[in-house]
Amino acid sequence: AIAMLIVALFVVLVINLHRRRNAEWDSKLTQERYRKLVDNLDEGYFFMILDRQFMPVYVSPSVEKVLGYAPDQVIRRWGELLDGKKQTALEQRYNQEIFEFKKPVTHELCLEGSLSEKVHIELSKLPILDRRGELVEIEVIAHDITPRAKREADLVQQHDALEVLVMERTRELSHAL
């Protein structure tokens, strides 16, 4: 009876290990397909993996098309690429959210491109957790939104200029009465 119990426990253990290995294998295949997809996008996207300290350990080659830097340069100079203290503080705040709540986060960030131009990036960060729920790494899809950010800034500027004209015209009309 004890031998049957040991055999049954062994079979259950092997089945669980087999299922876990298959799940890990499926996850790795999915990650590889996902990485290849993002790496091959040409339209302003790149992919990064951040470690637990939120520093890049992998940056896809497509970063060169967005920022003008090679992947190894981005890895080495990540802190320098953040555009000023405000951006650094913003990045730290979102990273703290990921670390505490372990939920995906999307936010915008301004980075310095290789030609010293500002590049507006939308970062979608997905925390990867181990079986205990501990943060292992963060997968990031970065999208260049500079054209949209410029259009938004132009609209704000036009709106402000229009408001000034309206105020001037209103003043003129009130003096005429």
Side-chain angles (χ1 to χ4, degrees):
I2 291 178
M4 291 291 282
L5 181 61
I6 291 173
V7 170
L9 287 174
F10 180 74
V11 169
V12 169
L13 179 65
V14 169
I15 290 171
N16 283 340
L17 284 174
H18 181 69
R19 285 181 183 162
R20 184 175 298 154
R21 247 190 228 134
N22 283 344
E24 288 173 1
W25 180 253
D26 288 346
S27 175
K28 286 181 182 181
L29 284 176
T30 301
Q31 283 181 339
E32 277 304 309
R33 278 189 232 129
Y34 178 68
R35 184 182 285 183
K36 284 178 184 177
L37 172 68
V38 174
D39 285 352
N40 291 309
L41 288 175
D42 286 335
E43 296 304 314
Y45 286 89
F46 63 94
F47 178 73
M48 296 191 312
I49 295 178
L50 307 177
D51 63 16
R52 289 175 46 93
Q53 287 74 40
F54 298 95
M55 295 304 293
V57 293
Y58 171 81
V59 179
S60 66
S62 55
V63 72
E64 284 192 64
K65 294 176 184 167
V66 177
L67 295 177
Y69 294 110
D72 62 319
Q73 291 175 305
V74 174
I75 290 171
R76 282 194 320 269
R77 299 186 56 219
W78 180 246
E80 298 170 32
L81 298 180
L82 296 172
D83 186 34
K85 290 180 182 178
K86 181 180 176 186
Q87 292 298 312
T88 302
L90 182 67
E91 179 71 353
Q92 288 172 346
R93 188 184 92 204
Y94 285 112
N95 290 344
Q96 186 63 33
E97 263 185 54
I98 289 174
F99 196 77
E100 285 179 26
F101 303 114
K102 296 172 179 59
K103 299 216 183 288
V105 171
T106 299
H107 67 94
E108 293 180 14
L109 191 63
C110 191
L111 299 175
E112 183 180 318
S114 64
L115 302 174
S116 297
E117 78 282 13
K118 291 183 180 193
V119 181
H120 296 269
I121 302 290
E122 180 180 73
L123 300 173
S124 298
K125 297 179 178 178
L126 176 67
I128 304 302
L129 310 175
D130 64 14
R131 281 181 254 139
R132 297 181 316 241
E134 296 295 320
L135 185 64
V136 176
E137 64 187 19
I138 301 91
E139 292 183 350
V140 181
I141 297 175
H143 179 213
D144 181 1
I145 58 167
T146 303
R148 184 184 85 197
K150 285 181 180 177
R151 285 191 307 270
E152 288 173 359
D154 287 347
L155 282 173
V156 167
Q157 196 173 28
Q158 290 171 2
H159 178 267
D160 292 346
L162 187 58
E163 280 198 5
V164 168
L165 290 173
V166 168
M167 286 176 29
E168 288 174 358
R169 186 66 178 149
T170 302
R171 228 179 291 127
E172 289 173 5
L173 289 173
S174 65
H175 287 298
L177 295 174

